[in-house]
Amino acid sequence: MGQATYNFPVTSETLEEAWADTDIRGDTALEAAYIAAARRLVERGVIALGSNCEFWIRHQAAVAATMREPVAVCSLLLVPTLLRELLNSAKLAVATAESKPLRRRSAGIGDPADRERLVAGGTEVNCSGKMR
């Protein structure tokens, strides 16, 4: 997500504490950092919040609950909608850095039959942040 991607100003912030080893593992301590970052961005004039990391999905509800601005932290939010658009026999493939957490959490899909339709594959980053 860079300035050249959109036809309007983009403001970004990097969370120094959100490395692959903490984010992929699901460190709950990051939630407060994500909320604080969202608030700082709004203070800088941001009117909508997004992210380019699929592991933010686990913080979507908490961040959205604290903000008045729209929050859509990752494209995985589209998975339930995309599954509804596909034939019931079709599967949806998701490429990710680490597929195991995604398979366990099933991208917010409540229906067990729909969870079976999600196929996740990853580059499988280990907890040191290095690719295997």
Side-chain angles (χ1 to χ4, degrees):
M1 267 195 268
Q3 201 65 26
T5 306
Y6 303 100
N7 194 21
F8 51 83
V10 174
T11 304
S12 63
E13 181 164 331
T14 300
L15 290 178
E16 296 302 322
E17 53 273 77
W19 288 90
D21 62 338
T22 54
D23 212 12
I24 291 172
R25 190 175 58 235
D27 187 342
T28 56
L30 288 176
E31 196 160 278
Y34 285 129
I35 291 168
R39 289 181 176 149
R40 284 192 301 273
L41 287 165
V42 169
E43 288 170 5
R44 292 167 53 197
V46 169
I47 60 171
L49 296 149
S51 168
N52 61 358
C53 177
E54 71 266 19
F55 297 102
W56 266 68
I57 189 84
R58 57 176 72 102
H59 306 292
Q60 167 71 32
V63 176
T66 65
M67 307 303 295
R68 286 191 322 238
E69 296 72 19
V71 176
V73 296
C74 86
S75 58
L76 289 177
L77 293 170
L78 296 172
V79 168
T81 301
L82 293 171
L83 285 171
R84 283 193 304 272
E85 297 299 318
L86 296 172
L87 295 172
N88 286 339
S89 60
K91 294 189 178 217
L92 177 66
V94 175
T96 179
E98 177 71 55
S99 63
K100 290 176 193 135
L102 179 61
R103 287 191 298 250
R104 283 194 303 268
R105 290 176 185 82
S106 301
I109 303 166
D111 183 347
D114 281 345
R115 283 197 294 270
E116 292 298 317
R117 297 172 57 207
L118 182 64
V119 179
T123 56
E124 309 311 336
V125 176
N126 66 27
C127 284
S128 69
K130 296 182 176 77
M131 293 177 65
R132 286 187 258 189

